Structures are given as C-alpha cells and as structure tokens.
Amino acid sequence: MASETVLIGEVKDGHLKRVTFEILGEALRQGVEPTVVLLGQNLKEDLKAELGQHGASKVVFLEHEALASYSTEGFANALHAFLSPLNPSAVIAGATSQGKDYLPRLAAKLGVGFAADCTEFKIAPGAVSARRPVYAGKCSKQVNFLQGAAVFSIRPNVLAVSTVHAKTATIQKVAANPGTIRAKLVETKASAAKKVELTEADVIVSGGRSLKSADAFKILFEMADTIGAAVGASRAAVDAGYAPHDMQVGQTGKTVSPKLYIACGISGAIQHLAGMRTSKVIVAINKDPEAPIFSKADYGIVGDLFELVPLLTAELKALKAKS
Amino acid sequence: MNVFVLLKQVPDTETKIRIKGDGSGIESGDIKWVLNPYDEFAIEEGIKTKEKLKEGAVTVVGCGPDRVVDALRTAVAMGADNAIHIKAEDTLDTYLVGKALAAACKKENAELILSGKQAIDDDQAAVFGFVAEFLDVPSISVVVKIDIAADKKSLKAEREVEGGTKHIIESSLPAVIAVNKGINSPRYASLPGIMKAKKKEIKTYTLADLGLGSESARTKDSAYALPPERKAGIKIAGDAKAQAHELVRLLREEAKVI
Ligand SMILES: Cc1cc2nc3c(=O)[nH]c(=O)nc-3n(C[C@H](O)[C@H](O)[C@H](O)COP(=O)(O)OP(=O)(O)OC[C@H]3O[C@@H](n4cnc5c(N)ncnc54)[C@H](O)[C@@H]3O)c2cc1C
Ligand SMILES: Nc1ncnc2c1ncn2[C@@H]1O[C@H](COP(=O)(O)O)[C@@H](O)[C@H]1O
C-alpha cells in the first residue's frame, strides 16, 4: 500500500530552509510522519538534529558528488530513482526557486499529477488534495490527485512551523543516482548586494513608481536593513528602471507571503495585490487617501513616503536599540 | 533551427472571475482572452533566434478550445511562421497538456522549445518541465538570456535563482527553455503580419491524432472558492512623527510582527 509521505527538504548555507519545517509542521498536525529527504554531498549530521528538533523521525541523506551543486536533472533523476520503489502517496517540497524547477520534472518522471505553490494540503488514507490560489489570487481551487503519488510544492511562509516535541531522528544514508546531467551549471553570478530572497522573507518593504528614481530606493533599503527585511517593487517602478525585475512583486513578478508587507507609494492595482495579498499584515503608506491599497491594508498612513520612511527607520532603530 | 513556442491563452488580468454555482470551475461567459504575457517573450525570443541564425522556422503551438486560434494568429502576426492547434477542452490537467505538447513537438522535430515561465491564470509554472521530461531533453526555467552556440548543438542560458543571483547553464540541444520577463521586449504585430495571420492555415491535431486517446488526467480540480476578504484596517492619524511612532508601536504590540 502506498502510504509513505516524502518531504524533500532544502539546505541553504548549511541550514534547512524554514519552509521545510513549515511543511513538516503541517504534516505532523495531520498525524502524518513524513520521511524527510535531503540531497547533496557530505551533508552535515547537524541537519538531522535540526530536523529532529522540529519533530522529524525519519531522515534520508541522498548523496552524490554530482549533487553538491543544484541541477534540475540531477535532482529529478536522483529523487526519481529513490522514490520509485518506495511508491509514496505524497511528495512535497517548498515552492522555492529550486523546488519550482525540479518538481514538475519529477512529477512527469513518476507519470503523476502536480500542483504548484499550494497554501494548504490534506493527506488522508487514499486521498490527497492541495489547495492553491489561481487567477491572480482572485480565487483558489482544490487539486485532487487521482493516480499515483501526489506531487506538490508549498508556498513559503504560509504554514506554521511545527511546535511538537523534539524527537531523535534516525538517519539513512543512500548513494544517489543522479543519472546524466545535460544542462550544467557553468557559472554563478551573485548579486552585488547580498539580498534576502523576496519569496522567503519575513518582512518586505516595497516601493512604487512614486519613488521616482533608483537612488530613492536607498531609503527603503535603509529601513529594510534595520529589520532584516527584503525590498520589493511594483511593476511601474521596475518598468521605469528604478529596481531590477527580480524585485517585482505581483502577477508578473514574485508572489510573496511575508508576516509583514509595507507598501510605500504603491497604488494597489489588482496585479500588484495578486502577488502580496496573502501577507499576514499589510501596511500602506500613500499620500492619496483614496488609493485602493488602503482597502487591503491593516494599517494605513496617509502621507508622504519621503518624510515617513526615514522617520520609520529612526523609530525602528530606536526600538532595536532598546530590545 | 526548428524553433517551437508554446502558447497559452489566459483571461485578461482585469477580468472579473466568477465561480460556478457548484464550485467546479469558473464561469467562462464574459472572459476576455489574451495571450499569456510571458509567452509573448517566448515568441519574441523565437523570432529573434531565427533572425540571428538566418535560417529555420518558428512554429507556435497551443493546446485548448477553438478560441486558442486567436492567440496563435496573434503570434503569426508578430512573425511566427507556422501554427499548430491541439484541440482539447480547457480543463486538461498539466500532465495531459504536457503529453499533448510533447507529442506535437516530437512529431514536428522541434529543436529548441520556448515557453513562458508560467501562465498567469493557473500559475503552475510546470508545463515546460513535463514537456521536457516527456521529450527526454534538458529544461531550464526562469531564463533571462539565451546564447546559442555557433554549431547550434548547445546553448548557454542565464537563469534567475533566488536573492538576485543568476546561474549560467550550459545545455545540449534540443532543450526546453522557459523564459522570464526581461529577456527581450516583444515586438508589436505589423500590418502585413496581421494580414498574413488572417489567412494563415492552422494545422489542427486532436489528442487522438497525437496517440493520446487512452491517456487520462492525473488531477481533478474542485471546490473553487473566493479568498477570505481582507478588511480595511485602521488609518493612523497625527503628524508624520506621531504616525511613524504609532505604526511601530502597533506592529510591535498589536500585530506582533517586529
Ligand atoms: C498583464 C499585467 C501584469 C501586471 N503585473 C504587475 C505586477 O506583477 N506587479 C505590479 O506591481 N504591477 C503589475 N501590473 C501593473 C499594475 O496594473 C499597476 O500599473 C502597477 O502596479 C502600478 O504601480 P505603482 O503602484 O507603483 O504606480 P501607480 O499606480 O502610479 O501608483 C503610485 C502611487 O504612489 C502614490 N504616491 C505618489 N507620490 C507619493 C509620495 N510622495 N508618498 C506617498 N505616496 C505617493 C500615489 O498616490 C499612487 O497611489 C501589471 C499590469 C498588467 C496589465
Ligand atoms: N494549454 C497550453 N498550450 C500551450 N502552451 C501551454 C499551455 N499551458 C501552458 N503552456 C506553456 O507552458 C508555460 C507555463 O504554463 P503553466 O505551467 O501552466 O504555468 C506557459 O507560459 C506556456 O508557454
């Protein structure tokens, strides 16, 4: 009987990404104990402890030198070889840059269905389903998996990290089979500034066309730096060249779900809302009291961002100095 | 080079979405259909590739109901040479769409397959991965630059990963490349292009023609629902200094997010 649930964890800079613990937390709340699979080479034992602290009991290290750096085919092949004999009922990963890339190929290899960027899932005996926003978040739908393993990715920052008691996880080391890799990484171009990844950031400070220049975005970066936030932008700001496209939030940019989203001088067009409406707390700063963004904001300030942002930065600095 | 571009027709982003009474889907009555914005970048990249190589043809292929022909004609008006319509219901799952597109690409010996990064209706960002897997060729996603090698046997692609980092990937051809905004600026349809598109004969396949008559869906959608409405919260009054102070206090003490 296919009953195993497999969670593919993701390691970044020697630690697990939080979305791994978020998926783990939700599975455990449903009484499901997933097998957590990590891919790489010479994976550190500490990772097992990290997972155990969050309630994982079974951990698999799928290792091969070809997996030391990420490749679509290497990851999809290695997972396929490992999962096929296991015949799992569900295979879950975070909807991160990597997860979004290899998971569809893995699902196709397994000959099964796929659902991306889900915000809920339900694992019951013989029936797995996931819910995902569609049509720019104007509605959501339930995807029911009909045959074979249910393969889906989970949007970061949506589910709660597990709070159950720590366990001592058992670890199984498996020699991976990454197959032939035809698309190879030949160079990595890091961005000049070490940026917090938007889709996984806890707090996002975002700016719109109203910033009027790339230089003006500095005030947002300053505010963001005081609280470890990432900086986002509206499409109008990106199109005007004030910010690069990888900072764009919205329907044709990134979908984010931070704990706190601070929109500075953003009108709140439907396509922008599509990318940030699932944020837990939304703050809007806009000089137009009629701006649509205010209808979605938990806290609104009618005023000039050029005046307010530096004041907020100062307040946040003061708060940080106190605590 | 035989360049294929995968096109999806999606509801215009301004379209109001209404859910069917039984929650099984959305009402399709008054939707305005447009070409998926990311696919415009894919078409442009296809045409540019042909122009650069000074040989080959660009074929656009779309899977869906009859209305998809409009999207295909738009692409021909922009400069695509051929168009293929795979006639199917618009409710096919990713698995079946992937199977159908892969089968068409195989039949026509596609050498470079371009798609959008994602379709803005379902946001799956997955069809290209299925197509690549079913064709057993490499895939590269979120691509912002493509350089085809002089011998046309391989390419280098720049893809955006997280935190502003980019990866340069070298891949053999054939391959499937899913492009992101920023790779180019799509051209507008020319007048002669529009005339040509009107008369263009569009090749049509059914799933059965592609040998997929006995394939079945892997997922079924249900229980469409509206998101919980966000209520407008409070507006913070006072002068700028007081507003900033109060906001930080509320975020700390009430919302507990900082
Ligand atoms: C197919 C399609 C896809 C799209 N995808 C996206 C997307 O992914 N992301 C996205 O963001 N948009 C997207 N858009 C564009 C979207 O419709 C809006 O045009 C865009 O979001 C507007 O950006 P903005 O809010 O920065 O600019 P504007 O709408 O011009 O708003 C600027 C706001 O700043 C306020 N303001 C001005 N000066 C100040 C000041 N000194 N202090 C405080 N407030 C000030 C103004 O009152 C106004 O509300 C898309 C559009 C289409 C058609
Ligand atoms: N029905 C379809 N017909 C043709 N191409 C499609 C279809 N669905 C998706 N695609 C292509 O696959 C890309 C990703 O779509 P999706 O996986 O649905 O987000 C789109 O940008 C298109 O290039």
Side-chain angles (χ1 to χ4, degrees):
Chain A
M1 202 190 80
S3 61
E4 192 126 19
T5 292
V6 173
L7 160 55
I8 308 165
E10 188 171 333
V11 183
K12 172 100 196 273
D13 301 333
H15 292 283
L16 282 143
K17 287 205 164 176
R18 194 177 51 200
V19 66
T20 302
F21 301 131
E22 292 167 356
I23 301 167
L24 180 59
E26 177 57 25
L28 293 171
R29 280 189 290 278
Q30 292 184 26
V32 173
E33 297 225 354
T35 299
V36 183
V37 179
L38 304 182
L39 295 93
Q41 171 70 335
N42 297 326
L43 290 162
K44 298 257 167 4
E45 292 276 331
D46 316 359
L47 295 168
K48 183 192 80 164
E50 241 180 271
L51 282 162
Q53 276 156 23
H54 287 86
S57 46
K58 284 174 285 178
V59 179
V60 173
F61 283 2
L62 206 51
E63 294 183 307
H64 191 283
E65 58 181 352
L67 300 178
S69 72
Y70 172 75
S71 70
T72 319
E73 291 169 292
F75 271 47
N77 291 338
L79 284 162
H80 179 242
F82 174 73
L83 294 173
S84 291
L86 222 56
N87 194 20
S89 53
V91 177
I92 320 172
T96 58
S97 164
Q98 276 188 17
K100 282 181 184 160
D101 185 57
Y102 70 77
L103 220 48
R105 279 201 84 124
L106 176 63
K109 267 186 196 295
L110 293 165
V112 301
F114 175 66
D117 217 14
C118 302
T119 52
E120 291 172 34
F121 67 87
K122 184 87 200 84
I123 298 176
V128 181
S129 66
R131 180 163 286 280
R132 53 190 307 271
V134 285
Y135 301 108
K138 288 175 200 163
C139 63
S140 67
K141 69 179 183 186
Q142 180 176 317
V143 179
N144 305 286
F145 293 89
L146 306 176
Q147 299 181 36
V151 179
F152 55 92
S153 65
I154 290 289
R155 182 176 293 182
N157 283 347
V158 174
L159 303 172
V161 167
S162 55
T163 49
V164 291
H165 302 300
K167 295 195 187 94
T168 309
T170 60
I171 189 165
Q172 187 195 351
K173 288 198 181 190
V174 178
N177 179 5
T180 314
I181 301 169
R182 294 161 293 185
K184 295 189 187 78
L185 176 67
V186 289
E187 192 189 333
T188 299
K189 282 195 199 169
S191 65
K194 197 167 156 44
K195 286 195 231 165
V196 184
E197 168 59 18
L198 266 186
T199 52
E200 292 166 51
D202 258 339
V203 180
I204 294 174
V205 180
S206 222
R209 192 200 315 263
S210 51
L211 267 294
K212 291 209 185 79
S213 71
D215 202 44
F217 263 82
K218 269 193 207 138
I219 60 170
L220 300 188
F221 278 104
E222 262 167 52
M223 171 152 87
D225 284 347
T226 50
I227 45 175
V231 178
S234 74
R235 169 164 154 187
V238 170
D239 285 353
Y242 309 159
H245 178 249
D246 65 37
M247 278 169 58
Q248 183 178 320
V249 172
Q251 187 165 24
T252 48
K254 291 187 172 159
T255 304
V256 300
S257 208
K259 277 199 296 196
L260 173 61
Y261 188 89
I262 306 178
C264 306
I266 291 178
S267 58
I270 177 90
Q271 298 90 354
H272 189 79
L273 297 175
M276 44 65 81
R277 70 199 302 160
T278 55
S279 305
K280 262 144 235 127
V281 174
I282 297 174
V283 171
I285 300 173
N286 197 301
K287 67 179 181 191
D288 173 9
E290 304 299 325
I293 188 84
F294 284 123
S295 70
K296 306 289 172 200
D298 301 280
Y299 302 108
I301 298 184
V302 179
D304 184 346
L305 75 93
F306 292 104
E307 188 181 358
L308 282 155
V309 170
L311 288 170
L312 278 168
T313 307
E315 288 286 344
L316 291 166
K317 275 192 182 142
L319 184 76
K320 229 175 114 186
K322 257 194 286 171
S323 56
Chain B
M1 186 170 296
N2 201 5
V3 181
F4 263 57
V5 183
L6 312 180
L7 298 189
K8 189 174 190 190
Q9 205 184 25
V10 297
D12 183 271
T13 50
E14 302 288 343
T15 297
K16 198 162 164 57
I17 297 294
R18 284 182 298 122
I19 295 172
K20 284 186 184 157
D22 62 359
S24 64
I26 59 157
E27 298 281 2
S28 55
D30 37 38
I31 290 179
K32 183 180 162 220
W33 296 96
V34 298
L35 194 52
N36 179 37
Y38 288 111
D39 300 354
E40 293 181 16
F41 298 105
I43 300 168
E44 176 63 33
E45 200 59 25
I47 301 170
K48 268 178 55 184
T49 302
K50 179 186 150 184
E51 288 170 351
K52 224 183 276 169
L53 299 179
K54 299 191 177 67
E55 55 92 11
V58 179
T59 303
V60 289
V61 46
C63 174
D66 286 334
R67 55 171 164 75
V68 170
V69 168
D70 295 340
L72 294 170
R73 289 202 195 280
T74 305
V76 173
M78 281 172 72
D81 302 289
N82 311 303
I84 297 175
H85 176 208
I86 305 170
K87 252 171 116 79
E89 298 156 58
D90 64 353
T91 48
L92 293 193
D93 72 339
T94 298
Y95 173 84
L96 284 176
V97 171
K99 278 273 173 192
L101 294 170
C105 290
K106 187 157 211 159
K107 216 178 168 100
E108 312 268 338
N109 294 315
E111 291 165 291
L112 170 65
I113 299 155
L114 298 164
S115 89
K117 174 185 87 141
Q118 71 193 62
I120 63 160
D121 54 353
D122 68 4
D123 286 332
Q124 272 272 77
V127 164
F128 55 86
F130 276 74
V131 171
E133 194 53 50
F134 294 146
L135 290 171
D136 192 17
V137 301
S139 56
I140 312 177
S141 62
V142 205
V143 168
V144 290
K145 190 164 184 257
I146 302 175
D147 279 314
I148 296 178
D151 66 2
K152 298 179 204 168
K153 293 209 169 75
S154 67
L155 58 72
K156 270 191 188 170
E158 193 169 305
R159 69 180 297 253
E160 288 181 348
V161 290
E162 51 197 23
T165 302
K166 285 182 183 146
H167 282 170
I168 317 285
I169 310 282
E170 194 170 321
S171 169
S172 56
L173 279 168
V176 178
I177 312 289
V179 305
N180 196 9
K181 180 180 166 171
I183 190 166
N184 55 41
S185 340
R187 68 193 67 190
Y188 293 103
S190 64
L191 205 55
I194 294 169
M195 299 310 290
K196 183 180 107 186
K198 273 193 189 141
K199 283 181 271 165
K200 185 78 203 171
E201 199 189 318
I202 290 175
K203 205 186 261 185
T204 304
Y205 291 123
T206 62
L207 293 183
D209 294 339
L210 296 169
L212 302 172
S214 57
E215 280 284 355
S216 60
R218 299 306 198 248
T219 57
K220 185 176 169 45
D221 299 338
S222 68
Y224 278 73
L226 294 173
E229 236 345 282
R230 277 198 96 97
K231 281 201 277 308
I234 58 160
K235 284 215 181 100
I236 300 167
D239 66 16
K241 195 151 181 359
Q243 283 173 322
H245 186 78
E246 178 63 1
L247 175 62
V248 171
R249 188 191 70 78
L250 286 167
L251 292 177
R252 176 79 165 190
E253 291 169 18
E254 193 179 83
K256 300 192 169 67
V257 285
I258 52 171

